[in-house]
Each structure stands twice: as C-alpha cells, then as structure tokens.
C-alpha cells in the first residue's frame, strides 16, 4: 500500500516576498505617524481650548449687599455672576463660581470660595455644627475656613478671597479659583 503523500510547501516567489515587505513597511510608517500625531493633537487641543488659556484673572465682582448677611455671623452662599470672555466668545453675566460670605463685624465680611481644596467638590455649611464639611471625602472646616479636623484630607484651608465694601453697602469680591490638591494657594491662570 502507498502511504499518505506529504505536501511540500512551495518556496515563496520573489514577487510575493517583495509585496509582503512593502505592506509591512507601509504599515509601520502609518503606525509611527499616528503615534507622533497623538501628542501633537493633545498639545493643539490644550493650546486652542479657551478654558486652558491664560487671561482668566478676574477683577472684583459685586456679589451681594451687606444687609443680605445675618448679623450673627452665619455664612450665606452666593453665586458669583460676571462676564466670561475666552478666545472665541464673550458671555455676559454668567455664573463663574460661588462663595460663602460671612459678616464678622458690622462693616466687615470674609469671603470663602465654596470649592474644597482637596479635589474640587463644593463644601456645605452645617448650622448645627457651625462648620463647613465636604461631602466627598469628609474634610471639615471651621467658620473662618481653617481646617477643623486633623483627619481632613484637604491640604489647606478653604480659599479666602479679597473683599471690598463699596458705597457703604456693596460687597465686592475678587473671585479666583485655586488649584486643588496643593498645600499652597496657586491661582488657576
Ligand atoms: S474633595 Fe473635599 S474632601 Fe475631597
């Protein structure tokens, strides 16, 4: 009896080998081109994104009037409304953030940014505890914004903002956001 016939592989023809080499080279050129383009696109996105651009420094904004604050020093939260301008648009009178205002004396007010310096959640005021607390990771802050609990993960106190009283009753705040997660107050530029 004759046994099974083994198939011998045919030697590759020079034309097929050259074509395969060409496809491999073309593929690697495309892949390395894409790899190079990704960081370029990311850099362009950062450059073109108006929210990432510098020039976001703000002047004082009229936030509230003195008689809208309780005289017992209880803080009240206010939205900060101002014109927002970026590279492409000007949006008049839009909310750009929020602050807690607290009357410390008849004609004196402190302003605290509501954003928790740990990771950017909004802190809440508890009148029962007379303190601010962050719902995200339980940072706690005293009425003046200092850290009230050593276990708080926040690396710094709440961000105090400059305040001016104008025309005897208008509370103007120099609104500014600061980078979260740092012990120092570094303005978001
Ligand atoms: S964001 Fe406030 S404690 Fe983490």
């Amino acid at each position: 009896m004759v046994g099974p016939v083994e198939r011998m592989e045919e030697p590759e023809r020079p034309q097929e080998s050259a074509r395969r080499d060409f496809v491999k080279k073309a593929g690697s050129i495309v892949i390395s081109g894409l790899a190079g383009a990704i960081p370029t696109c990311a850099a362009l996105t950062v450059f073109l994104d108006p929210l990432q651009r510098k020039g976001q420094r703000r002047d004082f904004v009229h936030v509230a009037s003195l008689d809208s604050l309780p005289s017992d020093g209880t803080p009240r939260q206010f939205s900060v409304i101002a014109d927002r301008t970026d590279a492409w648009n000007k949006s008049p009178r839009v909310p750009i953030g929020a602050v807690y205002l607290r009357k410390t004396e008849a004609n004196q007010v402190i302003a605290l940014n509501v954003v928790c310096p740990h990771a950017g959640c909004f802190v809440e005021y508890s009148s029962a505890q007379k303190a601010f607390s962050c719902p995200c990771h339980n940072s706690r802050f005293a009425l003046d914004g200092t850290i009230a609990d050593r276990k708080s993960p926040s690396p710094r106190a709440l961000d105090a903002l400059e305040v001016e009283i104008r025309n005897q009753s208008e509370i103007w705040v120099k609104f500014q956001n600061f980078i979260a997660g740092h012990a120092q107050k570094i303005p978001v530029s």
Side-chain angles (χ1 to χ4, degrees):
M1 262 181 73
V2 181
V5 179
E6 274 187 33
R7 272 179 70 98
M8 299 286 290
E9 288 211 359
E10 284 181 32
E12 199 171 40
R13 279 179 293 193
Q15 254 181 333
E16 279 178 11
S17 166
R19 192 163 58 94
R20 196 193 318 255
D21 282 351
F22 171 77
V23 171
K24 269 192 209 163
K25 278 181 190 156
S28 71
I29 287 169
V30 169
I31 288 167
S32 62
L34 279 176
I38 288 167
T40 308
C41 288
L44 269 178
T45 305
V46 168
F47 178 73
L48 292 174
D49 182 352
L51 296 177
Q52 306 271 5
R53 303 187 80 174
K54 295 198 181 291
Q56 298 289 314
R57 281 186 69 80
R58 298 205 168 269
D59 211 339
F60 281 85
V61 179
H62 181 209
V63 176
S65 64
L66 266 179
D67 56 15
S68 60
L69 295 182
S71 48
D72 64 358
T74 302
R76 275 197 62 200
Q77 186 177 324
F78 294 87
S79 296
V80 179
I81 309 287
D83 297 346
R84 179 172 13 222
T85 307
D86 61 39
W88 301 315
N89 299 302
K90 177 166 180 164
S91 314
R93 299 198 52 74
V94 293
I96 57 166
V99 291
Y100 282 105
L101 298 181
R102 190 166 84 83
K103 209 185 256 183
T104 51
E105 284 178 36
N107 220 11
Q108 253 182 15
V109 171
I110 65 166
L112 301 170
N113 196 320
V114 300
V115 174
C116 177
H118 178 229
C121 295
F122 277 22
V123 297
E124 293 162 354
Y125 176 68
S126 156
S127 50
Q129 298 180 354
K130 292 202 178 334
F132 300 97
S133 62
C134 180
C136 293
H137 314 101
N138 298 324
S139 282
R140 288 190 63 240
F141 306 91
L143 273 175
D144 63 358
T146 53
I147 292 175
D149 179 348
R150 278 190 301 150
K151 290 196 218 114
S152 295
S154 178
R156 62 175 191 265
L158 289 176
D159 295 317
L161 302 167
E162 282 181 58
V163 177
E164 278 183 8
I165 308 296
R166 297 183 186 173
N167 305 317
Q168 273 114 53
S169 63
E170 297 170 1
I171 304 169
W172 290 69
V173 176
K174 188 168 187 181
F175 184 75
Q176 178 77 61
N177 284 310
F178 299 87
I179 297 173
H182 287 267
Q184 294 82 27
K185 277 171 77 177
I186 304 169
V188 175
S189 54

